[in-house]
Amino acid sequence: MFSAPDSYPIDLPTFHSEINLPYTLTPGRAAGTFLAEVKNRRIVASRFASGQVVAPAQDFSSTGGEEPEAFVEAPHTGVLTAFTRVDGQVIGFIRLDGCDNDFPHRILAELDDLSIGQRVEAAWDDSVEQSILAVKGFKPAPDAPLGTVKPLETMEEPLGVIPYAMKLDYEHAYGPYYGRMFDEIRENGRFMGVRSPGSDVALLPPREIDDVAHSRTGTWKACEDTGTIRGCSIINMEVYGQTRKVPYVYAEIVLDGASTRMIHVIEIDSLEEAKEKIKPGTRVRAVWTQGERKGRVSDIERFEVIEE
């Protein structure tokens, strides 16, 4: 019998991972106009029926909810109303001349050289377009004259969509349970679960606490790389970010010796064949990737149907 999980070391090394989400952002009419005009060194603001002027431009008033009556050009100058330092940069609120809200942006000065009420002026980056970073930041400008809000006689077409991406880097610690599971996948090409309390069936992935009995799990158990489909869905539509070519089957599989479901894929040649052969109760076998294993679930390339 395999040892209890608490005999496995807990000071395991972490591994670097990331969440990377590319997508397109729809800015809307106001923000789209603001972003289209920054290449012309113009700060577009919204003017509402109340007389309130807000920069950058907004589609609706934050106080009354009404739509703007016009887009206008805000001046490049204003006063500093608040500031702080974040990750080595100074970030501040700027009340642009003639506007009724604060414009958050970088301040191009040292913290000790700043004071509330100080006059500032926008500094531009000619290499940037269609981004608020076309305004590099605001720099102290004690002699800058008071600016005025001007009407916009002509405007660029608002941007419809913007390519965008969010990336989050982090260090992930497996711990003694997932650590042993992925080590066994990499080194021995086998699945290791932990026994439920008072039972010989295994929970996979392994965990410290049984989520049904709410008590500590037992000893390790090696599960087979064969199993039974308990639920499945045929994927026949391509979507953005998909890594596999359709059609394929997304399946929930209970491996022999386990009591919980593993989610993986089954590649298919045709929809007709899949409808006939793949369903709850179908027996399947893991197909391991060729070459060096990495200690990941992706070390299983796919599952295949066990022909009777």
Side-chain angles (χ1 to χ4, degrees):
M1 181 178 289
F2 293 107
S3 60
D6 56 15
S7 66
Y8 204 68
I10 62 173
D11 55 342
L12 300 173
T14 61
F15 75 97
H16 181 79
S17 191
E18 67 178 40
I19 298 174
N20 200 339
L21 304 174
Y23 60 97
T24 54
L25 178 68
T26 304
R29 178 169 171 260
T33 302
F34 172 87
L35 293 171
E37 283 288 349
V38 290
K39 67 181 181 182
N40 301 321
R41 291 198 171 191
R42 296 204 285 191
I43 299 175
V44 176
S46 296
R47 186 180 66 212
F48 297 94
S50 63
Q52 184 186 49
V53 177
V54 175
Q58 302 294 320
D59 282 310
F60 300 96
S61 168
S62 61
T63 55
E66 71 271 18
E67 297 183 19
E69 63 175 15
F71 290 138
V72 293
E73 181 180 357
H76 299 180
T77 54
V79 296
L80 190 61
T81 61
F83 58 90
T84 188
R85 182 163 47 207
V86 179
D87 292 336
Q89 295 189 76
V90 179
I91 306 297
F93 283 163
I94 302 96
R95 180 67 60 92
L96 295 176
D97 296 335
C99 293
D100 298 287
N101 70 313
D102 291 328
F103 189 119
H105 214 307
R106 293 186 296 208
I107 308 299
L108 307 177
E110 295 298 325
L111 206 65
D112 295 339
D113 298 330
L114 299 174
S115 60
I116 300 299
Q118 187 174 7
R119 296 285 293 164
V120 292
E121 183 178 21
W124 295 81
D125 187 338
D126 294 332
S127 65
V128 178
E129 295 184 0
Q130 301 183 354
S131 168
I132 196 169
L133 296 180
V135 182
K136 187 184 302 183
F138 286 82
K139 60 184 180 181
D143 300 325
L146 188 68
T148 58
V149 175
K150 302 176 183 178
L152 274 174
E153 302 297 340
T154 61
M155 288 185 296
E156 298 279 349
E157 285 293 320
L159 298 182
V161 293
I162 303 170
Y164 204 76
M166 181 178 69
K167 181 180 177 183
L168 301 176
D169 294 284
Y170 62 96
E171 298 296 321
H172 185 85
Y174 278 145
Y177 289 84
Y178 275 40
R180 173 75 183 272
M181 180 184 72
F182 288 120
D183 282 352
E184 291 283 352
I185 289 175
R186 183 183 65 245
E187 300 299 330
N188 301 311
R190 65 179 177 183
F191 300 102
M192 293 291 287
V194 289
R195 288 178 171 85
S196 299
S199 172
D200 192 44
V201 294
L203 299 173
L204 187 70
R207 62 209 75 173
E208 183 177 3
I209 301 296
D210 184 291
D211 43 9
V212 175
H214 304 292
S215 57
R216 288 183 63 89
T217 50
T219 53
W220 291 102
K221 178 181 179 178
C223 299
E224 302 297 329
D225 62 1
T226 55
T228 304
I229 295 176
R230 295 304 182 195
C232 58
S233 179
I234 299 175
I235 309 300
N236 193 37
M237 180 182 296
E238 292 186 359
V239 296
Y240 184 77
Q242 206 165 22
T243 58
R244 286 184 179 268
K245 185 178 180 180
V246 296
Y248 61 89
V249 174
Y250 181 86
E252 296 179 354
I253 301 163
V254 176
L255 296 180
D256 297 333
S259 62
T260 49
R261 302 182 182 194
M262 167 182 282
I263 298 174
H264 218 290
V265 299
I266 303 170
E267 291 186 356
I268 58 177
D269 295 325
S270 69
L271 294 177
E272 291 71 23
E273 181 185 16
K275 292 175 182 178
E276 179 183 346
K277 293 185 177 181
I278 301 176
K279 55 193 173 185
T282 298
R283 297 282 294 161
V284 292
R285 177 188 295 107
V287 177
W288 295 85
T289 56
Q290 299 298 311
E292 181 183 2
R293 290 188 292 266
K294 304 295 184 181
R296 304 169 183 169
V297 174
S298 58
D299 285 335
I300 307 161
E301 181 181 315
R302 67 187 188 279
F303 278 79
E304 63 181 7
V305 174
I306 298 175
E307 300 291 346
E308 297 180 355

